[in-house]
Amino acid sequence: MKPAVFDYYDPTTLAEALSLLAQFGDTAKPLAGGQSLVPMMNMRLARPAQLVDLNRLSELSYLEVAGRELRIGAMTRQRTLERSATVADGWPLLQEATRYIGHVQIRNRGTVGGSLVHAYPSAELPVVMTTLDATLVLRSQMGERLVRAEEFFVDVMTTVLQPGELLVEIRVPQVRPGTGWSFQEVSRRHGDFALMGVAGLLTLSSDRTIERVQLVFCGTTPHRAAKVEQQLVGQKVESGLLRDAAKLAAAELEPESDIHATAGYRKEVAGVLAHRVLEQAATRALTTP
């Protein structure tokens, strides 16, 4: 199939792009990497009257470190994250998860901001940004606002973005010293959509007790296992403890069934992956300065 008729615009500055989006409102769609939007338009699941191409906005493509915070322009390609020595050194969970996104060809074109705004349930970046307590910078002609990743995702492919508003930057704080990380997912084949994915961080204190845990699952929106995180704080790392915590976290989930997997399968896999994530994060925390 081919997309429905639309008007095409290719602004060269952020100000011009925001002006176009303000002019057209909710009938317009911004185009980033196009790895999700273009197939949806071809299948006529999306029918924007106007397409505002952001690919000439070089001002939104960057990786910068400000203090202990990584700042990512929304048009930064996913492959840039994957290959960055800066990201590998200071934000290894982000790099580890990015390698699971589709195939290299997808990551060459796909953007960080595009994946977050698309908010697909099995996508890796929404889960990881929630785990890392990232802040998203949203801008329109009316001004700018900051939204925590945990509050950005509303429902399947739905975010708090308003008509005329763009995600322009993602700010990711560096994790505390003594923190281990892990990302695990299961898919039918490498590069396929994840049937379930889990991201986690685990911080150990000087006496090797658990100081902080963040455990987040793929789902309708990224699901943070807040109760289990709190229960683990102050306890010594033991395999049995982490296994039980993973089971409790998975029990809270309410996944959906589809043609790819049943809800029961997803729930069972979530518990297994969560255990692996906690174990690997704990192991890394013991060897991370």
Side-chain angles (χ1 to χ4, degrees), residues 201-203 210-215 224 229 232-233 278:
L201 297 172
L202 189 148
T203 306
I210 299 173
E211 186 176 293
R212 191 182 186 201
V213 180
Q214 288 141 284
L215 187 65
R224 186 163 179 174
E229 292 174 355
L232 286 173
V233 172
L278 291 172

Side-chain angles (χ1 to χ4, degrees), residues 195-214:
L195 301 177
M196 175 53 65
V198 185
L201 297 172
L202 189 148
T203 306
L204 295 179
S205 61
S206 56
D207 64 356
R208 296 194 172 185
T209 58
I210 299 173
E211 186 176 293
R212 191 182 186 201
V213 180
Q214 288 141 284

Side-chain angles (χ1 to χ4, degrees), residues 125-158:
L125 290 181
V127 173
V128 172
M129 293 303 184
T130 301
T131 307
L132 290 168
D133 292 327
T135 298
L136 280 58
V137 182
L138 314 183
R139 192 176 300 169
S140 69
Q141 285 198 313
M142 302 298 292
E144 183 176 282
R145 62 183 177 128
L146 306 181
V147 178
R148 294 176 59 225
E150 195 167 353
E151 299 167 348
F152 182 72
F153 306 100
V154 176
D155 205 336
V156 176
M157 299 169 68
T158 306

